[in-house]
Amino acid sequence: MGKPRLICALVCLLLFLCGQVILMITKVEATSNVHIVYLGGKQHDDPMLKTDSHHDLLASVVGSKEIASELMVYSYKHGFSGFAAKLSESQAQKVAELPGVVRVIPNSLHRLQTTRSWDFLGLSAHSPVNTLHNSSMGDGVIIGVLDTGIWPEAKAFSDKGLGPIPSHWKGVCESGKRFKAKSHCNKKIIGARWFVEGFLAEYGQPLNTSGNREFFSPRDASGHGTHTASTAAGTFIDNVSYKGLALGTIRGGAPRARLAIYKVCWNVLGGQCSSADILKAFDEAIHDGVDVLSLSIGSSIPLFSDIDERDGIATGSFHAVAKGITVVCGAANDGPFAQTVQNTAPWILTVAASSMDRAFPTPITLGNNKTFLGILIHWLITKCNVFFDRSKFHCPTWFPCSVCQFLSVDNSMVAGKVVLCFTSMNPGAVRSASEVVKEAGGVGLIVAKNPSEALYPCTDGFPCVEVDYEIGTRILFYIRSTRSPVVKLSPSKTIVGKPVLAKVAHFSSRGPNSIAPAILKPDIAAPGVNILAATSPLDRFQDGGYVMHSGTSMATPHVSGIAALLKAIHPDWSPAAIKSAIVTTGFPIFAEGSPQKLADPFDYGGGIANPNGAADPGLVYDMGTDDYVNYLCAMDYNNTAISRLTGKPTVCPTEGPSILNINLPSITIPNLRNSVVLTRTVTNVGASNSIYRVVIEVPFCCSVSVEPHVLVFNHTTKKITFSVTVSTTYEVNTGYFFGSITWIDGVHTVRSPFKEMASELMVHSYKHGFSGFAAKLTESQAQKVAQLPGVVRVIPNSFHKLQTTRSWDFLGLSSHSPVNALHNSSMGDGIIIGIFDTGIWPESKAFSDEGLGPIPSSWKGACEPGKQFDPKIHCNRKIIGARWIIDGMLADYGQLLNTSGNQEFLSPRDANGHGTHLASTAAGAFVDNVSYKGLGLGTARGGAPRARLAIYKVCWSVFGGWCSAADVLKAFDEAIHDGVDVLSLSLGLPPPLFSDIDKRGGIDFGSFHAVANGITVVCSAGNDGPSAQTVLNTAPWILSVAASTIDRAFPTAITLGNNETFSVFLHSSKSLRFGFLTTSCLHHYFQNSACEYLSVNASMVAGKVVLCFTTVTVVPAVIVLSAAEVVKEAGGVGLIVAKNPSNDMYPCINGFPCIEVDYEIGTRMLYYIRSTSFPVVKLSPSKTIVGKPVLAKVAHFSSRGPNSKSPAILKPDIAAPGVNILAAASPLDTFQDGGYVMHSGTSMAAPHVAGIVALLKGIHPDWSPAAIKSALVTTAWTNHPSGFPIFAEGSPQKLANPFDFGGGIANPNGAADPGLVYDMGTADYINYLCAMDYNITAISRLTGLPTVCPYEELSILDVNLPSITIPNLRNSSTLTRTVTNVGASNSIYRAVIEPPFGTSVSVKPNVLVFNNKTKKVTFTVTVTTAHQVNTGYFFGSITWTDGVHTVRSPLSVRTEILQPYISEN
């Protein structure tokens, strides 16, 4: 009998890619027949001979020179050799087979990426000594701009005072429609060309120049190219403003530099640029003699490889850089999401966008004389009008009346009014809302949205003002407080300098690099927000020939102008030297994002450009063509492809170079395991005799050493090589940590950004197959094997006892440990947890009452009958009560509930499984041998498995699950009567929030009364993350819960036909039991690769696995599900989705394999597909990994602070596991497996905390809800239990802060013995309501008691929370807190202060002494800021410790010199 064989089933990978026609919203169909024929480097220098040879070659295929001439689009003859021609597929195949033809590739399209800035960068024209003047303002340097052309009449392009055209210029000025070379070119615009043949051949129809407002000439129709050209090199123009804002003198960065215009982008479908045209422009620019090339053009995810000519930019720029031309490109506008940066080749200088120290605050004065400062979206005049108040209409709670993107208004109600709306979507929602309001006769629009500083265009001439959710909510509360709300919109102001702080723009694309993560991108940031520059008069938003635009398109020409100045000062510097000088001298800043954070190198590379520093950097990291070839070899591109790019025969060394040794001015280590050594070489460009010493800012994860640590330069030693050794001892997968290596000589500071990601298991990294074995070895044998050549590591086998709800073991509540809060509380026995949700499926084993004692005597509730729910059968000693409350929903819904159509029961029975999942998570009994599709096999249970459950069904299967505020309030009323101890609510409304005293909110109002009766109320924080100001359930008496991952993962191996294996995350665990079959392989089929627009040909897809990409982040679950349905219906056997990284698993079609990868892995898979005619893939079963090396993180979807209603109240309070939580389900749940399912959301996190609260209540029955909340917040983990910091998934990922997770991840055992608590009662909450300026009548209505606020105004900062948040610190602020000792009677606590950056913090007294008589002590905290600008939030802590307990209060401080709300005066 033969040995059994392992049979690997291979499935073909099919990529749906639109031939990388990247830009078009509507794809240019495959009828296009433009192909680029690439012949490599120049064979000779005679351009005419080259052109003739191109025609001869084409004629040999098409039959004659005449036909060849008709089909020829371009001849490339300067930087490289080749041509573009219109060919059929068969003709293209024949050309590809001709001798000397390197490659034939289809054409592709690119898209456009959409003044005070120069003073902000230190290049004031009034300063006699700076880089601007030292370079003669760039005189003699030629900047080539590839864009939409130029409007030559703009004053910015006057040649007054300029000398003759530089002698090295060899270009031309081409005439065309409304562009005459003799009159429109001058000594400023020294050249102008236009390239359209590639686009026209691809577009497949005539360009309607009237309908599209376009010119067959270098003339600019859209204004984009005019804007970028004038930003880079425009001359001085006085008295320029935009709608009266930013009045002053504008100019370009290099105002005496010359411009060479290459029009390659056309005003069709938002701006289209053909690769063939771009390559031709590069070819001509190399010939023409430009010094710098500026391209505000990009593609989209997925990116082409560096050696793929379809990219156009990477290929053309390689040849330009080889000729000494610095190429500057935009990073793209797909931020703030990770892995979205474009133009990633290391020879390109890639630019992110920042704001600058200028703002346009717009006063909004309400009828109560409160004034708020918004941000101008469009020019305003002073207006005083009434508000349009949506609440005056009957607006069903499920209809988003106030949401900008769904705005629908009544003309009679809106005419003459200003409208307030809320949005979480893109600028298109603002534009749409303004058009609706204007058409209805409204006179203005106020948009509340996630904060950013970019001014998006509104309807022309219509007043639009942007505010954040906090201010929008305060305006909304005013509208709701009066019958006749009025508002005055005053003219905007221009503020320059302090107190405005520059930040990396929200829209700016972020790293890491999805092609080569070891190559840092972007390289640098520059101003790209609200940039005022010249434009075409056809620009609908222009004002007097000028306009404000935002985008990396605007940042790019800033760096191009700087590069021109540096080239003028240092004409012999290479492009790499110029890049190094700019990167190593950049300034650090904040980054707008979701939420805002301190910027890191993935936001801005080396920082914000510092031109004066870059002119004298001291040292540079130089490179040439050979270095770039080494990079290509390190990327494992084959010799043929590299030779094709370079135009020279290239053979990579047998032992490939390390990509870490590429001589960049930055260091990025994407997959550090133990230790790595890399090298860099610096060139001295400063004083000959110099001594530099190293200063290392070590990333958290690692140790770093540099040898030598002193560099000595003299007349003979110009270059020195040093080595960097980086080591880590961590055995968990981490995110990136950041540091720097800086060389200092006392004059120069040469800083290289430094990043590592420690990675023990390569869950997010790729490896070439997996080689190894398992064997039975003695310790000595294992030691000998470990020393053999080629053996990476020998590790002992281990056994894990898996808990399906691993979350409880992760939180330290293992049922196998005899001493912890689980056992000390008798597993919550006697505690009653009330669940407000969709009901319960009582037959689930999780709700067995086996072993439970009698129902607690405190219980006064009932078990109500209904459809398929019999109290005598379905209630027991576990489910001790069950009510269903529906009248409020039915009254609001306005029709009978169709229980069959909506799969619903008029009873406590749970139809969709949500409530069942939560109840079993909080208090489910032990159930053995539970798994989900084979994953996470083990014992499932709740956090308090002996606690009792009271079910309140308030949510119904209408519109995806809806819960009426009236029903929620009724449930609170019943629960208070029934005697519950804890209430768990995974419910909430998205912004705008109702006020704390508004009954329509339901939860805030009802929970106030529950807490007053000693019931702890636990609520989910919401699933609208990672955007800031999205947290829900923000009342200070509520315990609001964010969601985290746990130390468990389900890696899935994907093996390609080239034996490259990726270990990635399962997208839908149900997919892994699918049997795969070997199928025939498929040639590339180019269609739209975006998951959200997937359209497939069934005959091409049948039996294949499909790879698609998505950049949509709002509803990714819907995108994945839709794409999976399309693929399955077409006969496909699997789906691989490349998307922004996150760890949560979205539902897919039951039984259909869906796997999620990030853009980096998706891109590498794509390159494999493109490299072979028959791509195949093997999808292996997923594994369950618990503990190391998996690191917990705050979940991507988890809503973030600050609190939009009252930012001084920290929300969320705490985080708990909420990702891939396995718990009981209704059998009607389409995704359930054996009565269990995995779900993710803060809905899953809230019952974890409810279970913990039940345990704490069991140990400390006399603790108040505030004491329980304090114990949880002050003992939470801010580091992973392994000691590693907790990250927050976001856009991009970062270290977590209090707005992500409050006090941290819940630590139940610590909370059971916190030492001190910050206690509160009803009187404290009333003080909070008074501090919020709610009126006495409203407060009395909430409390049910006559209430009078004290005459002396209360400070919200003094509310006795276990956290401190100061949202508007100007100079100094003093606040108080009171702590209660719940530990040993005789205790002494000392304060340990971690002050937020730029602040000083003092505590008095700094020692607290407790004894039998002194149980409570009050202390004061004084926080003083050193900042003189408006900042984002900085974070620190105040910790009291007695040597046993650590009582930590998170401290969050934002300096606001310019207040967002001011008095009328």
Side-chain angles (χ1 to χ4, degrees):
M1 184 172 167
K3 294 182 180 179
R5 290 181 298 163
L6 177 64
I7 300 176
C8 296
L10 297 178
V11 182
C12 289
L13 257 185
L14 168 63
L15 167 75
F16 285 94
L17 198 69
C18 35
Q20 266 335 275
V21 182
I22 307 230
L23 272 209
M24 304 182 66
I25 295 173
T26 305
K27 161 84 173 65
V28 173
E29 296 296 337
T31 52
S32 163
N33 58 356
V34 176
H35 291 72
I36 299 169
V37 180
Y38 190 68
L39 304 174
K42 295 189 295 182
Q43 284 78 37
H44 39 71
D45 293 325
D46 189 331
M48 291 304 298
L49 286 177
K50 256 187 290 189
T51 299
D52 289 343
S53 68
H54 296 164
H55 281 81
D56 290 342
L57 188 150
L58 182 56
S60 69
V61 171
V62 300
S64 72
K65 283 193 175 184
E66 289 76 14
I67 298 175
S69 181
E70 290 177 6
L71 297 177
M72 185 73 70
V73 176
Y74 290 122
S75 176
Y76 307 122
K77 56 201 177 208
H78 300 299
F80 47 90
S81 181
F83 59 88
K86 290 178 279 188
L87 301 173
S88 67
E89 287 300 318
S90 61
Q91 289 172 330
Q93 183 63 37
K94 290 177 181 178
V95 171
E97 295 168 355
L98 293 175
V101 174
V102 177
R103 196 176 185 198
V104 178
I105 51 176
N107 187 26
S108 61
L109 300 182
H110 294 256
R111 66 182 170 195
L112 293 167
Q113 302 166 338
T114 304
T115 299
R116 163 72 186 168
S117 52
W118 296 113
D119 283 4
F120 166 68
L121 294 174
L123 297 181
S124 171
H126 303 293
S127 173
V129 183
N130 61 21
T131 301
L132 180 67
H133 293 284
N134 295 343
S135 65
S136 299
M137 301 189 184
D139 201 4
V141 177
I142 303 169
I143 303 175
V145 179
L146 274 64
D147 212 286
T148 61
I150 196 164
W151 195 268
E153 292 85 356
K155 293 179 181 178
F157 308 124
S158 167
D159 64 356
K160 185 178 179 181
L162 292 180
I165 292 173
S167 59
H168 63 281
W169 174 248
K170 301 175 185 175
V172 298
C173 191
E174 297 175 351
S175 296
K177 186 177 181 182
R178 291 186 59 184
F179 193 96
K180 296 181 179 179
K182 291 183 179 179
S183 57
H184 292 134
C185 281
N186 56 17
K187 289 180 289 182
K188 167 61 77 172
I189 305 172
I190 63 174
R193 299 178 184 266
W194 51 292
F195 306 90
V196 72
E197 286 84 351
F199 171 73
L200 287 179
E202 187 74 45
Y203 189 43
Q205 54 185 298
L207 181 63
N208 182 350
T209 54
S210 59
N212 287 302
R213 268 179 141 184
E214 190 49 277
F215 306 96
F216 281 123
S217 75
R219 183 170 290 279
D220 181 13
S222 74
H224 191 273
T226 301
H227 197 282
T228 56
S230 64
T231 300
T235 193
F236 291 83
I237 307 294
D238 295 328
N239 297 317
V240 173
S241 71
Y242 183 63
K243 308 286 187 181
L245 295 177
L247 179 64
T249 299
I250 72 160
R251 63 176 177 83
R256 295 183 66 83
R258 315 309 170 92
L259 287 166
I261 304 302
Y262 300 87
K263 181 175 178 177
V264 295
C265 300
W266 297 85
N267 195 24
V268 177
L269 300 175
Q272 300 294 312
C273 328
S274 158
S275 278
D277 296 335
I278 291 171
L279 274 172
K280 182 61 176 175
F282 268 113
D283 188 48
E284 296 295 349
I286 292 168
H287 164 269
D288 292 347
V290 302
D291 301 295
V292 179
L293 278 171
S294 184
L295 290 84
S296 294
I297 302 171
S299 52
S300 67
I301 301 295
L303 305 178
F304 286 108
S305 72
D306 303 293
I307 46 85
D308 194 321
E309 295 88 346
R310 284 173 293 183
D311 180 278
I313 295 175
T315 301
S317 62
F318 180 91
H319 293 281
V321 169
K323 298 291 185 180
I325 301 168
T326 298
V327 180
V328 185
C329 294
N333 301 326
D334 295 321
F337 303 106
Q339 297 185 330
T340 53
V341 64
Q342 299 177 19
N343 296 313
T344 59
W347 47 84
I348 291 173
L349 183 45
T350 309
V351 187
S354 76
S355 62
M356 51 184 164
D357 61 344
R358 182 177 66 186
F360 307 109
T362 304
I364 305 168
T365 304
L366 308 181
N368 59 4
N369 283 331
K370 288 187 177 178
T371 296
F372 301 89
L373 294 181
I375 297 175
L376 169 76
I377 298 180
H378 212 284
W379 178 58
L380 296 175
I381 58 173
T382 300
K383 288 184 178 290
C384 193
N385 291 94
V386 296
F387 263 115
F388 167 58
D389 182 7
R390 258 327 283 193
S391 65
K392 296 293 189 288
F393 294 97
H394 171 69
C395 180
T397 49
W398 58 80
F399 183 75
C401 291
S402 63
V403 178
C404 299
Q405 55 267 32
F406 302 118
L407 205 61
S408 176
V409 299
D410 183 323
N411 291 16
S412 64
M413 301 298 293
V414 172
K417 298 183 176 62
V418 174
V419 173
L420 169 68
C421 68
F422 288 71
T423 185
S424 59
M425 296 186 71
N426 57 35
V430 176
R431 203 155 42 239
S432 171
S434 68
E435 290 170 352
V436 169
V437 172
K438 185 178 182 181
E439 187 176 340
V443 295
L445 178 70
I446 299 175
V447 178
K449 63 181 286 290
N450 193 256
S452 70
E453 292 189 349
L455 305 186
Y456 297 113
C458 202
T459 301
D460 196 23
F462 192 71
C464 296
V465 182
E466 174 191 305
V467 298
D468 65 14
Y469 288 141
E470 176 195 340
I471 293 177
T473 301
R474 291 188 64 134
I475 295 173
L476 180 60
F477 289 175
Y478 159 71
I479 294 173
R480 289 172 172 166
S481 71
T482 178
R483 292 176 181 272
S484 303
V486 294
V487 63
K488 172 186 175 185
L489 303 181
S490 300
S492 298
K493 307 290 184 182
T494 301
I495 296 177
V496 172
K498 295 177 182 179
V500 185
L501 187 69
K503 297 184 281 290
V504 176
H506 184 274
F507 57 76
S508 187
S509 287
R510 307 307 214 265
N513 181 339
S514 64
I515 293 179
I519 305 298
L520 175 63
K521 291 290 172 173
D523 295 299
I524 199 69
V529 176
N530 305 332
I531 302 303
L532 181 55
T535 188
S536 161
L538 301 180
D539 184 336
R540 60 177 292 200
F541 297 110
Q542 65 88 26
D543 176 36
Y546 294 88
V547 74
M548 276 188 184
H549 281 315
S550 297
T552 53
S553 283
M554 285 66 242
T556 300
H558 277 87
V559 174
S560 301
I562 294 168
L565 301 181
L566 298 181
K567 190 70 175 177
I569 298 172
H570 304 287
D572 57 336
W573 276 11
S574 69
I578 289 174
K579 175 177 173 178
S580 173
I582 291 173
V583 171
T584 59
T585 59
F587 297 123
I589 50 164
F590 264 90
E592 292 179 351
S594 301
Q596 181 174 279
K597 63 181 182 67
L598 280 173
D600 61 51
F602 292 148
D603 301 311
Y604 64 7
I608 287 186
N610 170 13
N612 294 319
D616 182 20
L619 306 176
V620 296
Y621 295 79
D622 207 359
M623 287 198 286
T625 303
D626 290 343
D627 299 278
Y628 298 127
V629 170
N630 283 340
Y631 156 77
L632 297 170
C633 291
M635 282 289 288
D636 283 337
Y637 296 132
N638 63 57
N639 291 334
T640 303
I642 298 173
S643 300
R644 193 168 62 227
L645 175 65
T646 62
K648 298 176 181 178
T650 302
V651 178
C652 291
T654 305
E655 185 176 335
S658 168
I659 197 169
L660 299 181
N661 290 330
I662 304 302
N663 203 42
L664 294 166
S666 58
I667 297 172
T668 305
I669 306 173
N671 51 5
L672 181 65
R673 297 196 71 169
N674 296 302
S675 182
V676 68
V677 179
L678 54 93
T679 62
R680 288 293 185 274
T681 299
V682 286
T683 302
N684 183 19
V685 293
S688 294
N689 297 307
S690 302
I691 299 176
Y692 285 83
R693 290 175 170 82
V694 73
V695 176
I696 303 173
E697 180 190 354
V698 181
F700 179 87
C701 65
C702 310
S703 63
V704 181
S705 63
V706 175
E707 289 293 335
H709 60 273
V710 177
L711 307 180
V712 180
F713 296 93
N714 53 41
H715 290 289
T716 57
T717 304
K718 301 291 187 184
K719 294 187 176 187
I720 297 179
T721 297
F722 61 90
S723 66
V724 180
T725 302
V726 186
S727 303
T728 182
T729 58
Y730 286 100
E731 296 184 353
V732 293
N733 277 20
T734 74
Y736 282 92
F737 289 97
F738 305 95
S740 62
I741 293 175
T742 304
W743 294 101
I744 297 175
D745 68 348
V747 177
H748 305 94
T749 300
V750 188
R751 181 182 181 277
S752 291
F754 188 21
K755 301 150 291 301
E756 302 90 17
M757 181 169 68
S759 180
E760 180 68 17
L761 172 73
M762 310 299 282
V763 174
H764 272 306
S765 301
Y766 41 83
K767 55 183 182 285
H768 294 281
F770 183 89
S771 178
F773 60 89
K776 291 181 283 186
L777 302 174
T778 65
E779 286 299 318
S780 62
Q781 289 171 330
Q783 183 63 33
K784 290 177 182 177
V785 171
Q787 295 170 356
L788 293 175
V791 174
V792 177
R793 197 176 185 203
V794 176
I795 51 177
N797 188 25
S798 59
F799 294 87
H800 297 269
K801 180 175 176 59
L802 292 176
Q803 294 264 165
T804 309
T805 46
R806 165 68 187 172
S807 49
W808 297 113
D809 281 6
F810 167 70
L811 293 173
L813 296 180
S814 170
S815 60
H816 304 291
S817 173
V819 182
N820 60 20
L822 179 67
H823 293 282
N824 296 345
S825 67
S826 300
M827 301 190 184
D829 201 5
I831 304 300
I832 304 169
I833 303 176
I835 307 287
F836 289 16
D837 212 273
T838 60
I840 196 163
W841 195 269
E843 292 85 356
S844 172
K845 293 179 181 179
F847 307 123
S848 167
D849 64 355
E850 183 179 350
L852 292 179
I855 292 172
S857 59
S858 61
W859 177 247
K860 302 174 185 176
C863 192
E864 299 174 351
K867 185 178 181 181
Q868 291 193 35
F869 196 94
D870 185 340
K872 293 180 180 180
I873 299 172
H874 296 130
C875 281
N876 57 15
R877 288 171 298 171
K878 169 61 77 173
I879 306 171
I880 63 174
R883 299 180 184 270
W884 52 290
I885 305 167
I886 193 174
D887 292 348
M889 197 281 291
L890 289 179
D892 206 11
Y893 187 41
Q895 53 185 297
L896 294 176
L897 182 64
N898 181 351
T899 54
S900 58
N902 288 297
Q903 203 175 51
E904 188 51 277
F905 305 94
L906 294 177
S907 75
R909 183 170 291 279
D910 183 10
N912 74 14
H914 193 267
T916 301
H917 195 282
L918 308 191
S920 65
T921 299
F926 289 84
V927 182
D928 294 329
N929 298 315
V930 172
S931 73
Y932 184 62
K933 305 291 185 179
L935 295 177
L937 178 65
T939 298
R941 66 171 175 89
R946 295 182 66 83
R948 314 308 169 93
L949 287 165
I951 304 303
Y952 300 86
K953 182 174 178 178
V954 295
C955 299
W956 300 85
S957 294
V958 177
F959 299 110
W962 208 258
C963 329
S964 160
D967 295 338
V968 170
L969 276 172
K970 179 62 176 174
F972 270 114
D973 188 50
E974 297 291 354
I976 292 169
H977 164 269
D978 292 347
V980 302
D981 299 294
V982 184
L983 281 171
S984 182
L985 291 83
S986 293
L987 322 172
L989 290 170
L993 306 178
F994 286 102
S995 71
D996 302 294
I997 46 90
D998 194 323
K999 275 191 178 181
R1000 288 175 293 180
I1003 295 175
D1004 289 349
F1005 204 94
S1007 63
F1008 179 91
H1009 292 280
V1011 169
N1013 282 277
I1015 302 169
T1016 300
V1017 180
V1018 182
C1019 294
S1020 55
N1023 300 326
D1024 295 318
S1027 297
Q1029 296 186 329
T1030 53
V1031 64
L1032 311 178
N1033 298 315
T1034 60
W1037 46 84
I1038 291 175
L1039 184 47
S1040 306
V1041 187
S1044 76
T1045 64
I1046 54 176
D1047 59 345
R1048 180 178 65 185
F1050 306 109
T1052 303
I1054 303 176
T1055 304
L1056 306 181
N1058 60 1
N1059 286 328
E1060 192 171 16
T1061 297
F1062 304 93
S1063 187
V1064 300
F1065 281 112
L1066 170 72
H1067 203 135
S1068 181
S1069 55
K1070 56 200 93 37
S1071 65
L1072 296 184
R1073 293 323 217 185
F1074 188 87
F1076 290 104
L1077 300 174
T1078 303
T1079 63
S1080 60
C1081 300
L1082 183 70
H1083 290 278
H1084 294 187
Y1085 175 55
F1086 294 113
Q1087 270 282 5
N1088 201 323
S1089 66
C1091 300
E1092 52 270 30
Y1093 303 117
L1094 206 61
S1095 176
V1096 300
N1097 182 324
S1099 64
M1100 304 295 285
V1101 173
K1104 313 291 189 299
V1105 173
V1106 173
L1107 169 67
C1108 68
F1109 287 71
T1110 183
T1111 57
V1112 173
T1113 58
V1114 181
V1115 281
V1118 176
I1119 300 301
V1120 173
L1121 192 59
S1122 172
E1125 288 171 346
V1126 169
V1127 174
K1128 185 177 182 182
E1129 187 176 341
V1133 295
L1135 176 69
I1136 300 174
V1137 178
K1139 62 181 285 291
N1140 192 258
S1142 69
N1143 281 347
D1144 45 307
M1145 294 193 282
Y1146 299 112
C1148 198
I1149 302 171
N1150 204 12
F1152 191 73
C1154 297
I1155 297 175
E1156 173 191 307
V1157 300
D1158 64 15
Y1159 291 139
E1160 177 195 340
I1161 293 176
T1163 300
R1164 289 192 64 93
M1165 294 174 66
L1166 172 59
Y1167 291 173
Y1168 160 69
I1169 294 171
R1170 289 172 173 167
S1171 71
T1172 178
S1173 298
F1174 300 98
V1176 293
V1177 64
K1178 171 190 169 188
L1179 306 181
S1180 300
S1182 292
K1183 307 290 185 181
T1184 302
I1185 296 176
V1186 173
K1188 295 177 182 179
V1190 186
L1191 194 67
K1193 298 186 282 288
V1194 177
H1196 184 274
F1197 57 76
S1198 187
S1199 288
R1200 305 307 212 263
N1203 181 341
S1204 64
K1205 188 159 55 180
S1206 46
I1209 306 299
L1210 176 64
K1211 291 290 172 174
D1213 296 297
I1214 198 77
V1219 175
N1220 304 334
I1221 301 302
L1222 181 51
S1226 161
L1228 301 180
D1229 185 333
T1230 57
F1231 297 108
Q1232 65 87 28
D1233 175 38
Y1236 285 82
V1237 73
M1238 275 188 184
H1239 282 316
S1240 297
T1242 54
S1243 284
M1244 286 68 240
H1248 277 87
V1249 173
I1252 295 168
V1253 170
L1255 301 182
L1256 298 180
K1257 194 72 176 175
I1259 299 171
H1260 303 286
D1262 58 335
W1263 275 11
S1264 69
I1268 290 173
K1269 174 178 174 177
S1270 172
L1272 283 165
V1273 171
T1274 59
T1275 61
W1277 289 318
T1278 56
N1279 288 340
H1280 189 271
S1282 67
F1284 217 80
I1286 294 169
F1287 274 81
E1289 294 178 350
S1291 306
Q1293 180 174 275
K1294 62 180 181 64
L1295 285 174
N1297 63 45
F1299 293 149
D1300 301 310
F1301 64 5
I1305 293 180
N1307 171 14
N1309 295 317
D1313 182 21
L1316 305 176
V1317 296
Y1318 295 80
D1319 206 359
M1320 285 198 287
T1322 302
D1324 298 278
Y1325 297 127
I1326 290 174
N1327 285 342
Y1328 156 77
L1329 296 169
C1330 291
M1332 281 289 288
D1333 284 338
Y1334 295 131
N1335 65 58
I1336 295 171
T1337 303
I1339 297 174
S1340 300
R1341 191 168 59 234
L1342 171 65
T1343 63
L1345 300 169
T1347 303
V1348 178
C1349 290
Y1351 180 75
E1352 185 177 336
E1353 186 176 344
L1354 296 170
S1355 170
I1356 197 170
L1357 299 181
D1358 290 330
V1359 177
N1360 202 43
L1361 294 167
S1363 58
I1364 298 171
T1365 305
I1366 306 176
N1368 51 4
L1369 182 64
R1370 294 198 72 172
N1371 296 302
S1372 183
S1373 182
T1374 299
L1375 53 94
T1376 63
R1377 287 293 185 274
T1378 299
V1379 286
T1380 301
N1381 182 19
V1382 294
S1385 296
N1386 296 307
S1387 303
I1388 299 175
Y1389 285 82
R1390 290 176 169 80
V1392 178
I1393 301 171
E1394 181 191 352
F1397 175 80
T1399 68
S1400 61
V1401 181
S1402 64
V1403 175
K1404 292 185 179 180
N1406 59 9
V1407 177
L1408 307 181
V1409 180
F1410 298 92
N1411 52 42
N1412 289 328
K1413 293 183 179 180
T1414 305
K1415 301 292 186 183
K1416 294 186 178 185
V1417 177
T1418 298
F1419 60 90
T1420 64
V1421 180
T1422 301
V1423 182
T1424 304
T1425 182
H1427 297 291
Q1428 295 299 312
V1429 296
N1430 279 23
T1431 70
Y1433 281 92
F1434 291 100
F1435 305 98
S1437 63
I1438 295 174
T1439 303
W1440 294 102
T1441 180
D1442 65 349
V1444 177
H1445 304 94
T1446 300
V1447 188
R1448 181 184 182 276
S1449 291
L1451 175 59
S1452 311
V1453 178
R1454 177 176 62 184
T1455 299
E1456 286 201 331
I1457 305 301
L1458 177 66
Q1459 298 287 322
Y1461 22 87
I1462 56 179
S1463 69
E1464 173 65 9
N1465 296 325

